[in-house]
């Protein structure tokens, strides 16, 4: 049962190899996987939804505009549900639409909306496979981290001989096992992570801070530890329990967090700056509580800039792989990309904290992750689920 508790979304596109999809579902279930099937319109010309429903044990999804499913945003739920999306067979037409970024039916939409790994098992006539357009599409998909499993070579249903046969179902099951049951994604990687807010003291009892709860950072710490990383968490003041196996260092101010990070960053392989660090602090901290006076309705504070932790890490000549966060309220993409460039980051995760129900203090969040030449949307989910998808995405791009 090498795929026990794993969730595989099987996409079936139009082609004669679709007859093998029922066998593939059965073999995946033999290994303990839960399988749900999505079919394209043309796939139903080769095999019926009823057949795949019978072998999977779940209704087959085939319509992007199904009123019953979309009442609960069914296509997004399916996209978040999967640990792996496998499209077998993947026709030349489907791959062309994916390369163009189209979302013209349910399966192509799911491929854009899922944070999970997407794998394709190409199946087509040998001449279609060799065509320059198909080869260009395959290269485009590979550059976007789409897994290409196959094709095999041999005799084809049309009588031709050559490359274009879909891999055997047992071979595809083995590929799924390797993909989902491999060594932990960050095994042995030393991660330094910041989380939570900072507090900038005004006097012994008052401070300037922000609404960060630390939930996202702590979820990342847990997800990274699950992925095999050695995690050191530099935390601002939060009311959260330290994830099991994580080393926690408590700080209060931005200056303290900066010192804690810079004294340890040389020992880490990967740095994630998730903390909501105060940009400014009071120029002077009163030794005694500041008293309110009856004849003074205003108070003036002079603020000075705090050190920029993520920028200082990014400026190091031997910097670790560095991931920043951008919590914005407007022009999220513009500000995130500017921060990625200016601070020499390898990746940045941006979220719109102005949206109700996500971001600061919420249990759910959504992120758009940018890197040089690419981006990925991680749709709204609970923060631990989101953190696991983010860690998997980072692991795919991490370079020691």
């Amino acid at each position: 049962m090498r795929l026990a508790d794993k969730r595989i979304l099987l996409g079936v596109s139009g082609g004669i190899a679709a007859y093998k999809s029922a066998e593939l579902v059965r073999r995946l279930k033999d290994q303990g996987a839960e399988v749900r099937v999505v079919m394209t319109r043309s796939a139903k010309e080769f095999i019926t939804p009823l057949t795949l429903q019978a072998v999977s044990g779940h209704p087959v999804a085939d319509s992007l505009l199904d009123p019953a499913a979309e009442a609960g945003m069914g296509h997004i739920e399916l996209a978040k549900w999967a640990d792996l999306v496998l499209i077998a067979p993947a026709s030349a037409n489907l791959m062309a639409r994916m390369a163009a970024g189209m979302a013209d039916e349910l399966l192509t939409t799911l491929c854009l909306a899922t944070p999970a790994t997407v794998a394709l098992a190409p199946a087509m006539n040998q001449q279609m496979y060799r065509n320059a357009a198909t080869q260009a599409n395959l290269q485009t998909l590979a550059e976007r981290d789409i897994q290409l499993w196959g094709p095999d070579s041999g005799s084809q249903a049309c009588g031709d001989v050559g490359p274009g046969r879909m891999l055997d179902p047992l071979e595809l099951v083995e590929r799924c096992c390797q993909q989902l049951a491999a060594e932990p994604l960050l095994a042995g990687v030393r991660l330094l992570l910041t989380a939570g807010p900072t507090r900038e003291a005004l006097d012994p009892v008052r401070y300037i801070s922000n609404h960060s709860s630390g939930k996202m950072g702590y979820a990342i710490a847990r997800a990274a530890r699950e992925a095999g990383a050695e995690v050191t968490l530099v935390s601002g003041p939060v009311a959260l329990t330290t994830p099991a196996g994580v080393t926690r260092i408590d700080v209060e101010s931005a200056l303290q967090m900066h010192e804690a990070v810079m004294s340890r960053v040389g020992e880490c392989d990967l740095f994630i700056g998730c903390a909501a660090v105060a940009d400014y602090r009071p120029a002077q901290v009163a030794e005694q509580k500041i008293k309110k006076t009856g004849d003074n309705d205003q108070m003036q504070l002079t603020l000075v800039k705090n050190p920029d932790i993520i920028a200082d890490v990014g400026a190091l000549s031997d910097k670790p792989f560095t991931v920043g966060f951008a919590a914005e309220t407007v022009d999220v993409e513009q500000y995130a990309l500017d921060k990625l460039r200016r601070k020499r980051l390898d990746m940045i995760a941006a979220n719109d904290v102005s949206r109700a129900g996500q971001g600061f203090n919420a249990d759910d969040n959504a992120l758009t992750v940018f890197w040089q030449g690419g981006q990925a949307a991680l749709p709204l989910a609970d923060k631990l689920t989101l953190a696991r998808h983010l860690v998997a995405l980072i692991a795919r791009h991490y370079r020691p």
Side-chain angles (χ1 to χ4, degrees), residues 21 53 85 110 115 187 205 222 263 306 312 322 375 392:
S21 298
Q53 176 176 319
V85 177
L110 287 169
V205 298
R222 176 177 169 182
S263 65
N306 275 320
D312 285 352
T322 304
Q375 67 183 73

Side-chain angles (χ1 to χ4, degrees), residues 12 28 158 240 256 276 287:
V12 182
L28 288 169
C158 61
L240 298 172
Q256 291 171 351
E287 294 184 0

Side-chain angles (χ1 to χ4, degrees), residues 10 43 81 83 133 152 169 171 180 196 203 245 299 324 348 363 378 399:
L10 177 63
W81 172 85
D83 295 315
D152 205 347
E171 173 64 19
L180 294 173
D203 61 24
M299 174 187 290
I348 190 164
D363 292 324
L378 304 184
R399 298 292 183 270

Side-chain angles (χ1 to χ4, degrees), residues 201-207 282 284-292 299 301:
L202 291 169
D203 61 24
V205 298
R206 300 184 182 93
Y207 55 81
Q284 293 184 329
V285 180
E287 294 184 0
Q288 305 296 329
K289 178 182 176 181
I290 301 172
K291 304 298 291 185
K292 179 173 63 177
M299 174 187 290
L301 296 174

Side-chain angles (χ1 to χ4, degrees), residues 55-112:
V55 293
S56 70
H58 296 286
V60 171
D62 56 16
S63 173
L64 179 61
L65 302 177
D66 181 346
E70 291 310 301
M73 296 300 286
H75 67 285
I76 297 298
E77 289 304 313
L78 271 176
K80 292 191 293 184
W81 172 85
D83 295 315
L84 172 68
V85 177
L86 170 61
I87 302 178
S91 66
N93 177 58
L94 177 78
M95 293 191 299
R97 288 184 285 134
M98 287 181 62
M102 296 178 69
D104 55 336
E105 61 180 325
L106 180 57
L107 184 54
T108 51
T109 301
L110 287 169
C111 290
L112 291 179

Side-chain angles (χ1 to χ4, degrees), residues 182-207:
E183 182 181 36
L185 294 173
L186 294 178
V189 172
R190 298 168 298 176
L191 167 64
L192 183 62
L193 167 72
T194 64
T198 62
R199 292 177 178 174
E200 311 303 321
L202 291 169
D203 61 24
V205 298
R206 300 184 182 93
Y207 55 81

Side-chain angles (χ1 to χ4, degrees), residues 10-348:
L10 177 63
V12 182
S13 66
I16 188 60
Y19 82 90
K20 300 179 182 179
S21 298
E23 173 71 5
L24 176 57
V25 171
R26 189 171 72 83
R27 296 296 187 179
L28 288 169
K29 292 187 67 178
D30 286 345
Q31 291 295 329
E34 182 178 0
V35 183
R36 294 179 182 268
V37 179
V38 174
M39 302 180 71
T40 65
R41 290 183 292 272
S42 56
K44 293 187 288 184
E45 300 296 326
F46 294 90
I47 186 171
T48 69
L50 183 60
T51 298
L52 292 171
Q53 176 176 319
V55 293
S56 70
H58 296 286
V60 171
D62 56 16
S63 173
L64 179 61
L65 302 177
D66 181 346
E70 291 310 301
M73 296 300 286
H75 67 285
I76 297 298
E77 289 304 313
L78 271 176
K80 292 191 293 184
W81 172 85
D83 295 315
L84 172 68
V85 177
L86 170 61
I87 302 178
S91 66
N93 177 58
L94 177 78
M95 293 191 299
R97 288 184 285 134
M98 287 181 62
M102 296 178 69
D104 55 336
E105 61 180 325
L106 180 57
L107 184 54
T108 51
T109 301
L110 287 169
C111 290
L112 291 179
T114 186
T117 296
V118 178
L120 305 180
M124 66 201 71
N125 168 266
Q126 56 85 23
Q127 193 61 50
M128 293 175 67
Y129 177 73
R130 289 187 169 111
N131 188 279
T134 302
Q135 291 300 309
N137 290 333
L138 287 167
Q139 182 176 348
T140 296
L141 293 168
E143 289 171 353
R144 295 176 187 165
D145 291 332
I146 302 295
Q147 300 287 314
L148 300 175
W149 295 352
D152 205 347
S153 184
S155 60
Q156 301 182 323
C158 61
D160 286 359
V161 177
R165 286 169 56 91
M166 188 177 89
L167 293 182
D168 184 81
L170 288 176
E171 173 64 19
L172 291 173
V173 170
E174 181 61 28
R175 298 286 186 102
C176 291
C177 291
Q178 292 174 2
Q179 179 71 36
L180 294 173
E183 182 181 36
L185 294 173
L186 294 178
V189 172
R190 298 168 298 176
L191 167 64
L192 183 62
L193 167 72
T194 64
T198 62
R199 292 177 178 174
E200 311 303 321
L202 291 169
D203 61 24
V205 298
R206 300 184 182 93
Y207 55 81
I208 299 172
S209 190
N210 56 61
H211 293 293
S212 174
S213 64
K215 292 178 180 178
M216 191 71 239
Y218 274 62
I220 294 171
R222 176 177 169 182
R225 187 71 190 96
E226 291 174 351
E230 301 172 14
V231 182
T232 299
L233 173 62
V234 179
S235 175
V238 297
L240 298 172
T241 302
T242 308
V246 171
T247 300
R248 173 172 164 176
I249 299 164
D250 289 314
V251 298
E252 288 271 339
S253 68
L255 288 176
Q256 291 171 351
M257 184 171 284
H258 183 269
E259 193 281 329
V261 167
M262 299 311 293
S263 65
R264 293 170 175 83
V265 71
E267 303 170 358
C268 76
D269 307 303
L270 172 62
F271 176 75
I272 302 177
C274 188
V277 183
D279 292 327
Y280 293 88
R281 68 182 186 276
Q284 293 184 329
V285 180
E287 294 184 0
Q288 305 296 329
K289 178 182 176 181
I290 301 172
K291 304 298 291 185
K292 179 173 63 177
T293 60
D295 58 350
N296 190 350
D297 292 334
Q298 296 181 342
M299 174 187 290
Q300 290 186 338
L301 296 174
T302 300
L303 303 177
V304 295
K305 187 177 291 186
N306 275 320
D308 191 324
I309 297 173
I310 195 78
D312 285 352
V313 172
L316 295 173
S317 59
D318 57 345
K319 74 178 181 75
F321 190 93
T322 304
V323 181
F325 267 71
E328 305 291 348
T329 56
V330 295
D331 298 329
V332 175
E333 179 174 346
Q334 175 185 335
Y335 285 123
L337 289 173
D338 178 65
K339 189 173 181 179
L340 178 76
R341 176 187 55 80
R342 284 188 299 106
K343 302 189 179 185
R344 296 183 63 237
L345 308 181
D346 296 290
M347 299 181 80
I348 190 164

